[in-house]
């Protein structure tokens, strides 16, 4: 209690510099820089500018800067006319030059934090941003990290390098906060302004500055005791989703075998008004958050000697879903007398989520790759994604979603449930549909197989026979291996019957 009281007392004190800064917040005379103008950074920059702050955006991608300066947005939810209005009003500008930091009071870092090829956290973009801004950083400036990252990053990779380079101390000559992004791409209910904003500061003075700034244009700010708590809260939010999605994905094939419609189960369970939140099966997980954030948390725990087994199991379960989908697709084709090798397969949807254009970590990419490796002739259609680039650099274009596309396919796999697809038209013309999203609910036609629906009796019978044959084969192989082993190990005078009995 005493520590909390001291914290509140310290936070309540304002020196002349902070008082002056808070006055500038009130009259919107502060200037801000947002580093990283992607799905997180551009919406934040626009929200600040709409609140009356002068905002300069920095991104190393010159194509993004060219589009922005021409008044064109590349992020869903940011309209061109809004962007042009802000630029004409002098409230938003963009470039690749870090020199703009010299004129800024607030610097917000919104750069990517992917995984390395070794499945480890890659915070190189954060380090590059800090290196780029530090030479231009002015005293009394506030630096806020929003990129999702492991606990301790803000202190280790933002605060300490700036202190070392400039000889400053956080909370005195400059200020540091961590405030995790919370973006729901494509959401019509939640945006930057009305999503509660968690924030932690390196010191009480840092936290106070950050709270005042975000509170000046966002509906709700949620302060926490440290940057590390804020970092961990963000990771836990998405780990919660990953684990629960994995639970549903693991349950799905079991329900199919038991003759239970998992979609009906989940919809029934969702009527419980307390203690439950619905999650649904699909072809895998995608986006920046769910496939990546739990790994950051697991990695951070591992370096402290803790093993988070739930996270590892959930990650493995979710990442095997594309392979499960492809295996099921091959079975469906074989039941129609068509080999997956040479089959014409159409993927309906490449984005990781409904009604957005984001391909990051999309499971459809893995489904496409695995089908191609199996020898299928794969094409795609997506109203939100006109093109995508394969691993070998080949650029593929979306096919028009017309009856001819469905008719010419041996199998259509619905990998993303975009609103722009006419699912009844698809069902009317496609020979066979494998729906991994339950997008065809309510459609008529006997050519639809939905992930999580009970297996047809004949399919279940075939699968059970295959499993019995496989089980018998494994047992016979085990007996042969055992016999071969004991032929070598047992001498002529030993009791072979006892030896086999023990094994």
């Amino acid at each position: 209690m005493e520590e909390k009281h001291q914290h509140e007392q310290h936070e309540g004190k304002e020196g002349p510099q902070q008082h002056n800064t808070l006055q500038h917040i009130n009259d919107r005379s502060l200037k801000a820089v947002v580093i990283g103008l992607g799905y997180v950074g551009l919406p934040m920059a626009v929200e600040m500018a709409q609140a009356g702050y002068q905002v300069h955006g920095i991104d190393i991608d010159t194509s993004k800067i060219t589009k922005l300066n021409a008044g064109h947005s590349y992020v869903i939810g940011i309209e061109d006319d809004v962007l042009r209005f802000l630029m004409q009003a002098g409230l938003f500008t963009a470039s690749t030059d870090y020199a703009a930091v010299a004129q800024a009071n607030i610097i917000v870092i919104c750069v990517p934090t992917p995984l390395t090829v070794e499945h480890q956290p890659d915070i190189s973009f954060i380090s590059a941003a800090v290196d780029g801004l530090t030479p231009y950083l002015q005293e009394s400036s506030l630096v806020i990290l929003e990129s999702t990252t492991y606990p301790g990053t803000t202190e280790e990779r933002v605060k300490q390098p700036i202190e070392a380079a400039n000889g400053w101390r956080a909370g005195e000559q400059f200020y540091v906060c961590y405030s995790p992004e919370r973006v729901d791409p494509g959401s019509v209910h939640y945006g930057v302004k009305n999503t509660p904003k968690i924030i932690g500061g390196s010191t009480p003075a840092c936290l106070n500055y950050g709270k005042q700034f975000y509170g000046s244009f966002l509906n709700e700010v949620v302060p926490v005791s440290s940057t590390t708590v804020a970092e961990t809260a963000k990771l836990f939010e998405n780990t919660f989703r990953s684990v629960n999605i994995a639970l549903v994905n693991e349950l799905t094939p079991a329900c199919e075998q038991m003759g239970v419609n998992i979609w009906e189960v989940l919809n029934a369970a969702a009527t419980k008004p307390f203690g439950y939140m619905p999650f649904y099966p699909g072809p895998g997980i995608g986006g920046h958050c769910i496939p990546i954030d739990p790994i950051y948390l697991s990695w951070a725990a591992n370096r402290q000697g803790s093993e988070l087994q739930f996270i590892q199991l959930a990650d493995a379960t979710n990442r095997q879903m594309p392979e499960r989908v492809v295996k099921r697709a091959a079975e469906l084709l074989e039941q129609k007398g068509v080999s997956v090798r040479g089959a014409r397969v159409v993927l309906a949807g490449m984005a990781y989520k409904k009604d957005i254009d984001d391909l990051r970590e999309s499971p459809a990419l893995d489904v496409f790759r695995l089908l191609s490796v199996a020898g299928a002739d794969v094409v795609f259609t997506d109203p939100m994604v006109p093109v995508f680039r394969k691993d070998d650099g080949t650029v593929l274009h979306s096919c028009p979603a017309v009856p001819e596309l469905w008719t010419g396919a041996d199998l259509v796999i619905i990998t993303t449930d975009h609103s722009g697809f006419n699912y009844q038209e698809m069902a009317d013309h496609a020979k066979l549909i494998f729906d991994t999203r339950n997008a065809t609910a309510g459609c008529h036609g006997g050519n639809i197989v939905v992930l999580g629906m009970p297996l047809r009796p004949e399919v279940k019978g075939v699968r059970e026979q295959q499993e019995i044959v496989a089980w018998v084969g494994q047992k016979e192989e085990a007996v042969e291996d055992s016999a071969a082993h004991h032929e070598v190990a047992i001498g002529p005078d030993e009791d072979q019957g006892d030896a086999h009995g023990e094994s």
Side-chain angles (χ1 to χ4, degrees), residues 134-154:
T134 299
Y136 300 101
L137 192 66
Q138 301 298 302
E139 286 196 42
S140 303
S141 295
L142 168 63
V143 180
I144 306 173
L145 178 62
E146 288 208 358
S147 305
T148 303
T149 187
Y150 61 82
T153 302
T154 305

Side-chain angles (χ1 to χ4, degrees), residues 52-116:
Y53 291 108
Q54 288 185 31
V55 183
H56 184 84
I58 298 175
D59 201 289
I60 59 174
D61 187 339
T62 55
S63 64
K64 288 182 179 179
I65 300 302
T66 299
K67 288 178 182 177
L68 291 174
N69 287 330
H72 298 303
S73 170
Y74 44 81
V75 173
I76 292 176
I78 305 297
E79 303 299 329
D80 288 355
D81 56 350
V82 172
L83 197 61
R84 289 169 185 157
F85 171 79
L86 294 173
M87 297 183 81
Q88 290 169 2
L91 292 173
F92 180 71
T93 54
S95 74
T96 60
D97 192 356
Y98 277 93
V101 173
Q103 308 301 319
N105 310 99
I106 310 282
I107 299 91
V108 181
I109 302 172
C110 302
V111 295
T113 46
L115 295 174
T116 67

Side-chain angles (χ1 to χ4, degrees), residues 245-394:
I245 291 170
L247 174 62
V248 174
N249 280 334
E250 187 173 49
L251 183 62
T252 296
C255 282
E256 291 175 346
Q257 292 284 355
M258 293 186 294
V260 175
N261 181 339
I262 195 169
W263 299 96
E264 186 177 4
V265 170
L266 296 174
N267 289 335
T271 62
K272 185 178 181 180
F274 53 88
Y276 180 81
M277 180 180 293
F279 293 88
Y280 300 97
I285 51 176
H288 177 272
C289 294
I290 300 177
I292 294 176
D293 294 0
I295 305 304
Y296 271 68
L297 183 55
S298 180
W299 180 88
N302 284 340
R303 76 172 183 164
Q304 299 299 327
S306 298
E307 184 179 7
L308 302 181
Q309 296 181 4
F310 262 28
I311 292 178
Q312 296 169 12
L313 179 59
D315 182 61
T317 300
N318 289 328
R319 288 185 185 277
Q320 71 181 1
M321 286 307 296
E323 188 175 344
R324 280 191 187 179
V325 166
V326 171
K327 181 180 178 182
R328 183 76 184 280
E331 291 174 353
L332 294 173
L333 286 167
E334 288 170 5
Q335 290 159 19
K336 296 292 184 179
V338 179
S339 171
V340 68
R341 182 170 295 279
R344 177 76 167 179
V345 180
V346 174
L347 296 191
M350 291 303 296
Y352 84 85
K353 183 181 175 183
K354 177 179 180 178
D355 296 341
I356 66 170
D357 61 353
D358 195 346
L359 287 174
R360 290 178 300 173
E361 305 290 326
S362 174
L365 298 173
D366 286 329
V367 173
F368 192 106
R369 177 181 55 81
L370 291 169
L371 283 168
S372 299
V373 169
D377 176 16
V378 193
V379 297
F380 82 98
T381 179
D382 192 311
M384 308 298 294
V385 181
V387 298
F388 86 89
R389 190 180 300 274
K390 292 169 61 179
D391 292 339
D392 63 4
T394 306

